[in-house]
Amino acid sequence: MKKYLLIVLAALTLVACSSTPSMKDMTVRMGDTDSIQVTDMRSLMRNGVLTAQVTIQNDSKSNLVAYRFKWIGKNGMAVTDEEAWKPVTIGKGQSTIIMGIAPTPDATDFRFELNQYK
């Protein structure tokens, strides 16, 4: 009986771990952004609204990139229209923290979109 219980617990643990997306899965890259690394990604519900914090670091020359958040509801669909791209300059070896606040309480998840600034 203990053996079966351990197998069930192990299976449930694997299912729980596999349903949490990685930072790589939550980052959408467009254009030449290979030198920009996403080093940390966190989120929390604050006053019923999802708040996201993403730390990015530049591993190459001074770089101007753009970012935006895509806010997603519990059904997996976008809850708002696309945000405008926001430019940010990151010097070589520097990092910066980017904050985003969902525009509606319907957002339960997000994707961080990173693009070469044009």
Side-chain angles (χ1 to χ4, degrees), residues 74-92:
K74 60 182 165 186
N75 62 1
M77 297 184 68
V79 295
T80 61
D81 293 335
E82 289 183 342
E83 292 184 351
W85 290 104
K86 298 167 191 80
V88 61
T89 301
I90 309 170
K92 180 179 181 179

Side-chain angles (χ1 to χ4, degrees), residues 5 25 43:
L5 183 59
D25 294 336
S43 64

Side-chain angles (χ1 to χ4, degrees), residues 38-59:
V38 177
T39 59
D40 190 37
M41 190 177 284
R42 300 166 189 257
S43 64
L44 60 85
M45 295 299 279
R46 182 178 291 156
N47 297 325
V49 178
L50 184 62
T51 301
Q53 175 181 298
V54 179
T55 305
I56 58 176
Q57 179 176 332
N58 183 6
D59 291 337

Side-chain angles (χ1 to χ4, degrees), residues 30-114:
M30 300 170 211
D32 182 17
T33 59
D34 292 339
S35 66
I36 306 297
Q37 305 305 316
V38 177
T39 59
D40 190 37
M41 190 177 284
R42 300 166 189 257
S43 64
L44 60 85
M45 295 299 279
R46 182 178 291 156
N47 297 325
V49 178
L50 184 62
T51 301
Q53 175 181 298
V54 179
T55 305
I56 58 176
Q57 179 176 332
N58 183 6
D59 291 337
S60 185
K61 62 185 184 298
S62 181
N63 210 347
L64 179 63
V65 295
Y67 71 91
R68 67 183 178 192
F69 290 91
K70 180 177 183 180
W71 302 103
I72 301 168
K74 60 182 165 186
N75 62 1
M77 297 184 68
V79 295
T80 61
D81 293 335
E82 289 183 342
E83 292 184 351
W85 290 104
K86 298 167 191 80
V88 61
T89 301
I90 309 170
K92 180 179 181 179
Q94 291 183 333
S95 64
T96 189
I97 296 173
I98 297 170
M99 300 289 291
I101 300 172
T104 173
D106 295 333
T108 58
D109 200 3
F110 71 95
R111 295 297 174 265
F112 180 70
E113 298 181 337
L114 191 60

